[in-house]
Amino acid sequence: MKEAYFPQEIETKWQHTWEETNAFHTPDDSTKPKYFALSMFPYPSGKLHMGHVRNYTITDVIARFKKMQGFNVLHPIGWDSFGLPAENAAMKHGADPAKWTDENIAYMTKQLKMLGLSYDWEREVTTCKPEYYKWTQWLFLQLYKKGLAYKKEAAVNWCNSCGTVLANEQVIDGKCWRCDSVVEKKYLSQWFFKITEYAEQLLQDLDKLQGWGDNVKTMQANWIGKSQGAIFRFKVKEIEGLEVPVYTTRPDTVHGITYLVVAPEYKDIEKLTTPENKQAVEEYRANARKMTEIERLSTDRVKTGVPLGTHCINPFTGEEFPLWTADYALVEYGTGAVMAVPTHDTRDFDFAKKYNLPLKVVIAPESASSYDADNLKEAYTEEGILVNSNEFNGMKNTEAKKAITQKAVDGGFGEFKTQYRLRDWLISRQRYWGAPIPIVYCDKCGIVPEKEENLPVMLPTDVDFSVVGKSPITTSPTFKDTACPVCGGHATREMDTMDTFVCSSWYYMRYADAKNSEKCFDKDLVNHWLPVDQYVGGIEHAILHLLYSRFFTKALRDCGVLDFDEPFKNLLTQGMVLKDGSKMSKSKGNTVDPDEIFENYGADTARLFILSDSPPARDFDWSDAGVEGCYKFLNRVWRLVSDGVNKGLISKDYKIDFPLSRENDDLIRTVHIAIKGITNDISNDFQFNTVISKYRELTNAIYEWSGKKNEKSFTDEDKNVFSFAVTSLVKLMSPVTVHMSEEIWHELGYERSIHEENWCEWDENLAKASKITLVVQINGKVKDKIEVDEGANDEELKQFAILSPKIKELINGKEIVKTIVVPKKLVNIVVRG
RNA sequence: GGGCAUGUGGUGGAAUGGUAGACACGCUAGUCUUAGGAACUAGUGCGCAAGCGUGGGAGUUCGAGUCUCUUCAUGCCCACCA
């Protein structure tokens, strides 16, 4: 065996062998239990970055560990390959996005292989290939048939720089999630998926996701934004038969209404405006329309509004109050109209103060005897007792919510209402590089879905990428005109493509049956492999991809395509990879190129390091010294083994015969403790950082043990023990340092790949210490430590403690109040005086 | 404004309510070397010491980094959602 560790040589060799032997292929039929380990698939942007390396290494180690534990592991990879960067590159360089994408995939595939990842490449999935997007289109049609895909005219988020609309989830702080430019509002007719129909299920089923972090679950719950309240309908005084409905979560404050606000975009706003107010209202609305999302969302903005001139009547009190329009009412939420109770809502309070609208107190704190509206400094939004509220006076406001709503129900002017913040998912994109929406517009029949047998609707290639202000797809001379699938007459195709998040909402299902050309996947196979047992990826998808995928799964279940209702059983959201405390980015110039690390240290060092310093969920600070440290450690392990092998001290045919010498017994114990600890650390939340510290501890222990021996005096027993320890270490490390372990394994004389081996097992009796350090405390403070036999019982431990000279002196002359014994660990003597 | 995380040596981080700082990085000495940024050995929370130490303050407990309350700081998510 070579004395020095040459990672690149070893790694290239084994990568070739694994490829030639198809070592990581997963059969569908196996008697072993299944385990589906999944990384979020990459966008083929050009090169892997360290975030990828971290993500895929974590999943790879999990996959290999599970395989060694006897699971039939599915560990696939694919490409989220539709999307704007390819199209932009095409426009810039006049290239073909398909070619650009293919080249990136080829390069990144090479990098993934260099990392030694155990993917089943036969199941590779690429979303921009017709054999994939055919099924994306097919699934769209299933949703369409179910009434879950529909087209409507709506105010949508428009990103001018990307030249396309965006879903709500893709607008971050009023800016585009991709390019960061300010998002505008536009009125367009667009395709939506009815995700709102699943709002309640998506919320409820979060409880089923025991293996998800609470942070992600609360983010989703907040995004869905369920609230419970009431709808009240108010008659308009000036217009017979016209009503304004409002949604409120505070029906208990209904007697305190002093005005009502409708959004500038409210559908009946023109009817509600009197001729005298028309001009001011028109101006206000025009202004609101011009405003960008950013301006509207600005937190320090002063509220503005104008009166409409009309009035509503409060059915509870008979009081009249004026109607206003103000942009703090949102047309998309609730009914687009708000009942304003300035005394008990901070926003209404601000508005009322600014425009001198009246205040009326209807909730008082339980302690207060009276409450003066004129002197209010801010809205009272806490709980309390109803006042000025007729028959509800004296009632607790929490009870009044129900009672008051009930009165509205009985009176026919209101109802109980549950409201969600979640909006339908806008999936149309005015872009080229995506899956075409399989819809045609027939001159006679209107909107018609393409026939399933005509799929895929191929993305045209005869397009001009140099056009500005419109989608390149519209320049295709052959794409637009087609025959109606129903009547055969003239029709035109939908020119929009689908949001790429549609493609990524089902890719993990396709892995179950990646090559199927008859169906999107076989139902039995998808039911067998799914749900994913462990999903690993970035927290940035907490809402977007993960919510869409959950919706897709439920919708496809209802379409009868599959039989489960949650796609991802366990989710690990890995932290970011930082350098010098901030996120790696090209603009900051603090990126680390994986290729350079492979070249200088090898993939095993990269894998070891990226797992070593932080638990997976936390951010990880990349340091060059850390990489160096890991490389040195691997050299140290290599030297330990090569030395032993070359001196004939290690062999694969070892046998441990008890009893052993004291030192050998200790080493065996250390190995068993390591096996137990490492197994538990991986099983328990994948704490790879402590796993790696245990690799080091075990290595240190073996070195220390061998340092005590003179190699010439090595007995057969020593050789056996040494062999066992080294063999165990190499095996325990094999999921992480995949190449080095494989190389050593063969150097030890094994024929089979180490990755086909079973995971190490420990013997509970051997993992037990023979001596324990008894901690003796007085009044909870550590005062002494005594070595005692492992088998000592509680009474004996107490005696040891009291008899220790140190303790004897300290408790001398004091009264022992009580003594607490923690078996095999600690004695605490409580004294007084 | 609301929600969720996280606060431990010079640094990354360990620690089923029971020895705080495992394992590393860094640093300091030394050994071997022509030399070393290689390898090995010893040391390394603070304090001269008694002791003190897990952001601050309270509490529960024989015992709190860990549980409860409160407060501060940082990060992330959501945000005029009625």
Side-chain angles (χ1 to χ4, degrees):
Chain A
M1 184 170 172
K2 282 187 179 155
E3 275 177 39
Y5 169 52
F6 296 110
Q8 293 78 4
E9 195 182 302
I10 296 170
E11 292 179 2
T12 317
K13 177 173 112 190
W14 288 112
Q15 282 159 16
H16 280 124
T17 308
W18 295 332
E19 180 133 19
E20 279 158 22
T21 56
N22 202 6
F24 304 115
H25 175 63
T26 305
D28 286 319
D29 53 332
S30 167
T31 51
K32 296 176 184 174
K34 72 98 183 177
Y35 190 90
F36 189 173
L38 181 68
S39 294
M40 289 183 183
F41 69 161
Y43 179 80
S45 53
K47 270 187 152 192
L48 290 188
H49 55 68
M50 280 301 167
H52 291 129
V53 173
R54 190 176 194 196
N55 191 165
Y56 307 147
T57 303
I58 290 169
T59 315
D60 191 53
V61 175
I62 295 170
R64 288 169 183 271
F65 173 70
K66 287 291 173 183
K67 187 174 174 188
M68 291 178 92
Q69 281 198 320
F71 289 89
N72 185 32
V73 174
L74 177 59
H75 183 215
I77 192 71
W79 306 96
D80 187 13
S81 52
F82 268 140
L84 259 182
E87 191 169 336
N88 289 343
M91 289 165 120
K92 210 165 154 192
H93 305 115
D96 177 3
K99 190 169 164 255
W100 184 87
T101 303
D102 283 346
E103 284 167 4
N104 288 346
I105 289 176
Y107 190 82
M108 290 169 83
T109 299
K110 203 180 96 197
Q111 287 186 303
L112 291 177
K113 289 182 176 170
M114 282 175 80
L115 239 188
L117 301 168
S118 60
Y119 293 129
D120 181 355
W121 287 97
E122 288 182 20
R123 294 174 188 263
E124 183 178 3
V125 149
T126 307
T127 60
C128 67
K129 302 269 184 231
E131 54 268 31
Y132 181 88
Y133 73 69
K134 171 177 180 175
W135 301 111
T136 305
Q137 292 172 340
W138 185 83
L139 292 168
F140 173 94
L141 293 180
Q142 307 316 301
L143 295 192
Y144 181 81
K145 276 193 247 166
K146 263 265 161 192
L148 294 171
Y150 68 97
K151 200 177 192 194
K152 75 169 176 193
E153 169 99 12
V156 296
N157 308 302
W158 176 263
C159 173
N160 216 10
S161 137
C162 294
T164 185
V165 297
L166 299 169
N168 246 319
E169 288 79 4
Q170 294 160 358
V171 181
I172 316 287
D173 291 335
K175 296 179 192 165
C176 172
W177 71 292
R178 248 207 72 254
C179 71
D180 231 27
S181 39
V182 173
V183 167
E184 297 164 29
K185 285 278 174 201
K186 258 198 180 183
Y187 281 81
L188 289 171
S189 180
Q190 301 280 289
W191 284 94
F192 289 84
F193 281 157
K194 218 181 253 178
I195 192 170
T196 52
E197 195 159 308
Y198 289 85
E200 187 61 31
Q201 270 187 60
L202 288 166
L203 183 67
Q204 289 296 320
D205 289 355
L206 287 172
D207 289 342
K208 289 186 189 168
L209 301 172
Q210 297 296 319
W212 285 39
D214 286 337
N215 54 342
V216 178
K217 287 196 276 189
T218 32
M219 270 191 234
Q220 291 213 355
N222 289 343
W223 187 260
I224 294 165
K226 181 179 181 173
S227 69
Q228 265 156 334
I231 298 264
F232 292 137
R233 283 183 295 274
F234 297 102
K235 287 199 165 71
V236 180
K237 180 186 156 201
E238 289 83 357
I239 306 163
E240 186 68 27
L242 187 63
E243 284 182 335
V244 179
V246 302
Y247 170 72
T248 180
T249 54
R250 293 298 303 275
D252 51 318
T253 64
V254 76
H255 298 84
I257 301 174
T258 55
Y259 64 101
L260 196 149
V261 176
V262 300
E265 303 87 357
Y266 189 73
K267 61 175 171 30
D268 289 332
I269 192 165
E270 284 174 25
K271 286 187 221 162
L272 293 167
T273 308
T274 57
E276 307 82 72
N277 292 282
K278 193 171 178 206
Q279 195 189 342
V281 170
E282 280 305 316
E283 274 170 24
Y284 186 79
R285 293 179 67 203
N287 208 17
R289 208 175 236 251
K290 263 196 296 194
M291 243 185 286
T292 63
E293 198 78 351
I294 280 275
E295 289 165 327
R296 250 185 105 150
L297 289 180
S298 166
T299 43
D300 48 41
R301 218 176 118 240
V302 185
K303 287 182 179 44
T304 58
V306 290
L308 301 179
T310 50
H311 299 79
C312 277
I313 299 155
N314 189 336
F316 288 88
T317 60
E319 289 167 338
E320 282 177 21
F321 50 82
L323 273 157
W324 284 62
T325 182
D327 61 7
Y328 81 91
L330 308 172
V331 72
E332 319 93 272
Y333 187 75
T335 61
V338 185
M339 63 178 223
V341 185
T343 44
H344 305 297
D345 181 283
T346 45
R347 293 154 303 187
D348 299 343
F349 186 86
D350 293 346
F351 192 82
K353 279 286 171 193
K354 178 165 180 194
Y355 292 104
N356 261 323
L357 292 156
L359 309 182
K360 183 184 173 192
V361 169
V362 289
I363 311 276
E366 266 181 85
S367 52
S369 47
S370 71
Y371 219 108
D372 184 1
D374 297 335
N375 295 326
L376 269 185
K377 293 272 183 298
E378 56 180 9
Y380 178 74
T381 56
E382 310 293 307
E383 299 194 343
I385 302 292
L386 267 70
V387 293
N388 295 326
S389 300
N390 300 337
E391 71 264 38
F392 302 101
N393 283 343
M395 201 181 261
K396 271 194 174 162
N397 77 312
T398 43
E399 291 160 22
K401 283 183 179 184
K402 209 178 154 193
I404 288 177
T405 310
Q406 191 55 50
K407 184 180 172 184
V409 173
D410 297 342
F413 49 87
E415 62 242 17
F416 289 92
K417 171 77 176 171
T418 303
Q419 184 73 38
Y420 301 90
R421 273 191 16 200
L422 185 70
R423 312 283 153 77
D424 276 341
W425 174 14
L426 197 174
I427 61 145
S428 301
R429 293 293 177 275
Q430 290 70 50
R431 303 303 322 174
Y432 169 76
W433 194 233
I437 296 173
I439 289 286
V440 303
Y441 302 99
C442 172
D443 297 347
K444 270 192 261 163
C445 318
I447 296 179
V448 181
E450 184 55 270
K451 277 188 188 155
E452 290 182 10
E453 57 264 37
N454 291 343
L455 298 183
V457 174
M458 292 289 285
L459 197 56
T461 48
D462 52 353
V463 298
D464 176 7
F465 290 113
S466 63
V467 293
V468 199
K470 58 177 180 174
S471 164
I473 208 168
T474 57
T475 65
S476 165
T478 56
F479 185 74
K480 186 180 175 189
D481 297 301
T482 186
C484 171
V486 175
C487 70
H490 177 259
T492 56
R493 286 201 183 279
E494 169 63 62
M495 298 283 198
D496 286 351
T497 53
M498 282 186 248
D499 181 7
T500 55
F501 279 97
V502 177
C503 308
S504 60
S505 290
W506 74 280
Y507 77 101
Y508 48 91
M509 301 172 182
R510 180 73 178 171
Y511 288 138
D513 194 11
K515 287 177 174 165
N516 199 327
S517 57
E518 304 298 314
K519 295 185 225 169
C520 54
F521 40 71
D522 179 82
K523 192 172 178 178
D524 289 339
L525 281 174
V526 85
N527 286 337
H528 168 69
W529 283 112
L530 282 262
V532 171
D533 293 280
Q534 185 64 54
Y535 201 16
V536 183
I539 186 78
E540 66 273 17
H541 288 106
I543 294 171
L544 288 157
H545 163 64
L546 291 168
L547 189 67
Y548 293 149
S549 295
R550 294 183 61 222
F551 157 68
F552 238 70
T553 304
K554 290 173 194 303
L556 295 184
R557 174 203 58 198
D558 293 345
C559 292
V561 178
L562 45 81
D563 291 330
F564 47 95
D565 45 32
E566 281 294 337
F568 314 122
K569 213 152 115 194
N570 297 290
L571 174 71
L572 173 61
T573 48
Q574 106 224 15
M576 285 186 299
V577 181
L578 313 176
K579 178 81 192 291
D580 310 320
S582 56
K583 193 178 178 177
M584 282 191 187
S585 74
K586 278 180 198 150
S587 57
K588 285 202 201 87
N590 61 346
T591 55
V592 176
D593 185 354
D595 284 344
E596 269 175 44
I597 303 298
F598 298 159
E599 200 177 306
N600 295 332
Y601 301 98
D604 283 342
T605 295
R607 294 170 59 108
L608 183 73
F609 176 56
I610 205 123
L611 298 176
S612 67
D613 263 6
S614 299
R618 237 187 275 183
D619 286 351
F620 175 85
D621 208 338
W622 183 275
S623 81
D624 296 335
V627 186
E628 195 70 41
C630 285
Y631 184 64
K632 285 181 187 171
F633 171 65
L634 291 187
N635 274 285
R636 193 167 141 83
V637 172
W638 183 271
R639 263 197 320 274
L640 177 70
V641 183
S642 66
D643 230 51
V645 168
N646 293 340
K647 288 175 180 161
L649 305 177
I650 303 175
S651 75
K652 81 174 168 118
D653 305 306
Y654 60 83
K655 190 167 182 292
I656 310 290
D657 289 314
F658 293 93
L660 300 165
S661 72
R662 169 75 193 274
E663 279 169 354
N664 288 347
D665 206 57
D666 282 347
L667 184 61
I668 297 288
R669 174 168 301 108
T670 306
V671 174
H672 280 269
I673 289 171
I675 296 171
K676 180 180 177 178
I678 289 167
T679 310
N680 288 342
D681 284 357
I682 301 180
S683 309
N684 174 28
D685 283 340
F686 309 114
Q687 293 176 48
F688 296 120
N689 55 329
T690 56
V691 168
I692 287 159
S693 75
K694 283 171 177 127
Y695 292 163
R696 292 178 186 268
E697 280 176 4
L698 180 55
T699 308
N700 292 345
I702 301 175
Y703 260 107
E704 201 177 318
W705 173 90
S706 72
K708 289 181 195 153
K709 309 264 168 189
N710 179 333
E711 65 186 73
K712 297 212 175 73
S713 69
F714 252 68
T715 62
D716 284 347
E717 182 188 301
D718 292 339
K719 288 181 186 173
N720 283 326
V721 168
F722 193 27
S723 301
F724 169 69
V726 167
T727 307
S728 302
L729 173 66
V730 171
K731 225 198 245 186
L732 289 170
M733 288 178 65
S734 69
V736 180
T737 56
V738 296
H739 311 89
M740 189 179 91
S741 292
E742 182 82 313
E743 175 72 10
I744 292 176
W745 200 243
H746 288 83
E747 288 287 358
L748 291 177
Y750 294 94
E751 295 289 322
R752 197 158 73 141
S753 166
I754 193 167
H755 305 296
E756 301 287 330
E757 292 293 328
N758 292 325
W759 187 244
C760 302
E761 287 181 15
W762 75 90
D763 181 327
E764 198 61 53
N765 283 318
L766 291 175
K768 225 188 261 172
S770 64
K771 289 273 182 187
I772 54 164
T773 306
L774 179 71
V775 174
V776 187
Q777 298 181 327
I778 294 177
N779 291 345
K781 303 260 180 213
V782 178
K783 294 294 175 186
D784 200 8
K785 295 168 192 180
I786 317 167
E787 284 273 300
V788 299
D789 255 11
E790 191 271 337
N793 65 32
D794 290 6
E795 193 50 41
E796 287 166 332
L797 291 180
K798 209 165 168 178
Q799 289 310 313
F800 283 132
I802 293 171
L803 292 175
S804 138
K806 241 190 202 169
I807 299 300
K808 226 173 177 177
E809 199 190 315
L810 285 163
I811 58 176
N812 188 27
K814 289 172 183 161
E815 183 199 347
I816 297 178
V817 181
K818 62 172 159 178
T819 310
I820 285 122
V821 179
V822 181
K824 300 183 197 301
K825 229 172 214 166
L826 172 144
V827 175
N828 185 17
I829 303 165
V830 185
V831 299
R832 190 159 44 198

